Amino acid sequence: MMRLLDARQRAMLAEMGVPLWMPPPAAKRGAAPAPEQTPAAAPPPATAAAAPVIAPPVAPIMVPPPAAALDKPASNNRARPADVEHMDWAQLRSAVAACRACGLCAGRTQTVFGVGSPRADWMVVGEAPGENEDRQGEPFVGQAGKLLDRMLAAIGRSRQAQCALDAASQQQPPQPQDGAGKAPTAPAPPQGGVYIANVLKCRPPGNRNPQPDEIAQCEPFLRRQIALLQPRIILAMGRFAVQSLLQTQEPIGRLRGRVHHWHGVPVVVTYHPAYLLRALPEKAKAWQDLCLALDVAESGGDGHQPTDAAAAAAAAARKP
């Protein structure tokens, strides 16, 4: 005999989704059979809502500031006065000492302005200060400077000559007057001085070659030095001095032996003394360049038709 389920059991089976079979009721005579009832399907169990996914916090990316470049920082033209072309010697020297227009100022001991008399009629232009120049504040010192001094002495020039004459003239007491009440005319000082300067006023790190932006920042100072000095001849020594003055990329070997001009001033090209110390056979060519410069200076700038005195001086200089 089938056991009947009570209402509570039927509810539990329905909740679990178990279909419940019920026997059909006894059909009454003559009555149509009742349609079979299909139990309603239980609703699917509720799915727990997915918990929201929270992304872990992202740490901010720290970008370090760019390291300051020692050799090539951003140029600042405001660090160099704009009126360099109107300065006198004292103002120009102060402007060079205070210049911070390129990165070379960060590693210098001091600037190297120039040496010699501002009244000299010869000018020697070199490339850049080295270690000794940076320490002493004077261009062309050390072994290269000694060689340059010997080269200049061979043609009767010296970086100290005109300076000594200038100092002597400043300390000279007043001359006694003659019977007519006029002071005797002093003889003109000999023209033996030379002014020496470099294209760059600060030493490049490790004595490396000057960079174009460094040369561009220093060139106004050199141009003003030449304008103040007004030399009769410029002796350009070394590749970077030649390139700066003549604005050319030609090697020295192709430029030497002839006269060039910088704004009307004759320029003679020759090798740097530091190079001559490494290449001794080239000293003969440098001597030829010095003799050419002497001819040009004494002949008035074209190297032709020197005066008798100039010819004698040039001939004496050429003697061993």
Side-chain angles (χ1 to χ4, degrees):
M1 184 175 181
M2 183 178 295
R3 180 181 177 182
L4 299 178
L5 302 176
D6 58 21
R8 179 173 173 271
Q9 292 174 335
R10 290 196 299 268
M12 291 176 62
L13 292 174
E15 184 68 23
M16 295 171 60
V18 177
L20 182 62
W21 182 84
M22 296 294 292
K28 295 183 179 181
R29 187 176 296 175
E36 183 178 355
Q37 294 182 356
T38 303
T47 304
V53 179
I54 301 177
V58 179
I61 300 175
M62 303 300 293
V63 179
L70 295 180
D71 290 344
K72 190 178 179 181
S75 298
N76 182 8
N77 291 331
R78 292 176 298 178
R80 188 188 66 231
D83 56 344
V84 172
E85 64 274 12
H86 301 299
M87 292 182 177
D88 58 22
W89 282 108
Q91 293 170 335
L92 189 62
R93 181 181 291 272
S94 298
V96 168
C99 178
R100 303 188 66 84
C102 75
L104 296 183
C105 63
R108 73 190 179 201
T109 301
Q110 57 186 317
T111 56
V112 181
F113 182 73
V115 64
S117 171
R119 295 173 52 196
D121 57 351
W122 274 57
M123 185 173 189
V124 172
V125 177
E127 297 180 326
E131 181 180 3
N132 294 324
E133 289 83 357
D134 176 68
R135 184 169 57 250
Q136 300 182 32
E138 182 175 327
F140 284 97
V141 297
Q143 294 303 315
K146 293 178 180 178
L147 177 57
L148 174 61
D149 288 340
R150 293 196 298 268
M151 295 168 64
L152 293 175
I155 58 173
R157 296 281 161 175
S158 170
R159 68 176 79 191
Q160 291 89 14
Q162 192 67 43
C163 293
L165 289 171
D166 293 342
S169 62
Q170 293 176 1
Q171 299 175 1
Q172 187 176 5
Q175 298 291 332
Q177 295 181 345
D178 57 14
K182 297 181 181 180
T185 302
Q191 298 294 322
V194 61
Y195 190 86
I196 305 174
N198 283 321
V199 174
L200 292 191
K201 310 305 182 187
C202 298
R203 177 198 178 195
N207 292 348
R208 62 158 174 75
N209 290 335
Q211 296 180 353
D213 63 318
E214 297 163 351
I215 294 176
Q217 293 294 344
C218 264
E219 277 181 341
F221 295 133
L222 177 62
R223 290 197 297 265
R224 186 55 183 165
Q225 285 177 304
I226 299 175
L228 289 171
L229 188 66
Q230 297 183 359
R232 296 173 61 186
I233 184 72
I234 296 176
L235 188 63
M237 309 191 80
R239 175 163 61 99
F240 295 100
V242 173
Q243 291 178 355
S244 176
L245 290 172
L246 302 183
Q247 297 297 305
T248 179
Q249 298 297 319
E250 289 288 324
I252 292 179
R254 296 181 182 177
L255 296 174
R256 55 171 300 275
R258 49 197 173 99
V259 181
H260 308 270
H261 289 85
W262 185 91
H263 295 274
V265 180
V267 177
V268 172
V269 172
T270 192
Y271 297 107
H272 195 280
Y275 170 75
L276 295 177
L277 291 174
R278 303 190 303 268
L280 298 181
E282 303 292 352
K283 285 186 176 181
K285 296 180 181 178
W287 176 243
Q288 295 173 2
D289 299 332
L290 285 177
C291 293
L292 173 61
L294 184 62
D295 287 343
V296 172
E298 298 297 341
S299 63
D302 57 4
H304 301 289
Q305 298 178 350
T307 62
D308 294 340
R318 291 189 181 93
K319 291 182 179 180

